Amino acid sequence: PRARRLFARVAVLDRVLALAGHAAPGGAINNYEAQQRDAALRPLTAACRLALVAACNAPLRP
């Protein structure tokens, strides 16, 4: 159950991050702001992918 909840939450976050990637530069006025935005989203994307891996590799329990 915990892995399923984690997967559901991370799947939603992954979709939001994918949308943010497609909507680049996302309100940034200049190149510096676009780079800062990308730098802020990069660790969140990495953490999201790690959480997806953890949820998918969790041991199955009845």
Side-chain angles (χ1 to χ4, degrees):
R2 289 176 57 189
R4 289 182 190 159
R5 284 193 308 269
L6 176 64
F7 182 82
R9 289 178 182 167
V10 172
V12 171
L13 180 59
D14 187 46
R15 287 186 221 132
V16 170
L17 290 171
L19 180 62
H22 291 295
I29 296 174
N30 55 32
N31 191 30
Y32 174 76
E33 289 179 359
Q35 289 175 349
Q36 292 298 320
R37 177 185 178 272
D38 291 342
L41 291 177
R42 201 170 299 122
L44 185 57
T45 303
C48 181
R49 290 186 181 156
L50 286 174
L52 276 173
V53 169
C56 290
N57 291 325
L60 295 175
R61 294 185 187 171

